[in-house]
Amino acid sequence: SVVAEGKVRLARTAGKSIPAGWIVDRDGQSSTDPNALYDGGALLPLGGLDAGHKGYALSLMVDLMAGALSGGGASGPDRKVNCNNFTVIAIDHARLSGDGAIADEAARFADWIRAATPTDPVRPVMLPGDVERAHRARHQREGIPLDAGVIAALKEAAAITGLSPDIVSRTLKLATP
């Protein structure tokens, strides 16, 4: 999809709108209201409204793999939007190439991709996971920026489980949003 459903959920919790082109409402119209997703709307496939047909088959395959193979069920009108099924396919590359050739080739390929000249010199060419690794490092240094709605939900969850809501601020390194 254009965006992970969790980002829409976070925007909804924070009471914020989302960029146009992430979702459509139940009538198939683009919406910036994250609530529209949970009221019969849908995440758009990669490529959005203009070229989403290019990612449509891939999104169907991923849905089937994550839903049908996991036993959790693929998407449909009777399924919750925020159901997070997944399937893991593990390949033991050591059995395919015990000499490390596959890992070496993957590293060479990644280095080649990252060495490409970016269209914007301020934004380097990145691979999947690079943004997340950078965010993790920043969060370890500076804390995790959470909006008031998420903090309130964590405190409520603590209270429901019999813990003091203060445990949230005592255990999490929170950054000032």
Side-chain angles (χ1 to χ4, degrees):
S1 58
V2 170
V3 66
E5 182 268 335
K7 291 188 179 189
V8 178
R9 190 176 343 121
L10 285 174
R12 180 178 70 163
T13 301
K16 297 179 180 176
S17 62
I18 56 174
W22 279 14
I23 66 169
V24 290
D25 63 19
R26 71 169 82 187
D27 298 319
Q29 301 300 310
S30 181
S31 178
T32 59
D33 179 4
N35 292 302
L37 175 62
Y38 305 98
D39 188 28
L43 289 169
L44 287 170
L46 192 60
L49 291 170
D50 295 328
H53 63 282
K54 299 296 279 185
Y56 181 64
L58 179 60
S59 69
L60 292 177
M61 181 198 69
V62 169
D63 195 322
L64 279 172
M65 289 179 69
L69 288 179
S70 72
S75 295
D78 59 336
R79 304 288 182 189
K80 289 185 174 183
V81 173
N82 60 355
C83 183
N84 288 312
N85 297 323
F86 66 93
T87 296
V88 175
I89 299 173
I91 299 173
D92 184 354
H93 64 84
R95 287 181 177 242
L96 299 174
S97 170
D99 63 358
I102 294 173
D104 292 346
E105 180 62 13
R108 182 210 58 80
F109 184 70
D111 290 345
W112 176 68
I113 296 293
R114 287 187 182 107
T117 303
T119 56
D120 180 351
V122 178
R123 298 178 60 198
V125 174
M126 301 177 107
L127 288 171
D130 286 349
V131 169
E132 292 79 7
R133 281 186 285 281
H135 285 171
R136 180 183 175 125
R138 188 180 80 246
H139 294 161
Q140 287 176 328
R141 282 190 320 271
E142 303 169 11
I144 302 171
L146 298 176
D147 63 70
V150 171
I151 293 171
L154 289 171
K155 289 182 177 183
E156 181 181 338
I160 289 170
T161 61
L163 298 171
S164 166
D166 293 339
I167 196 167
V168 173
S169 54
R170 288 195 322 262
T171 57
L172 291 178
K173 180 180 178 185
L174 298 175
T176 305

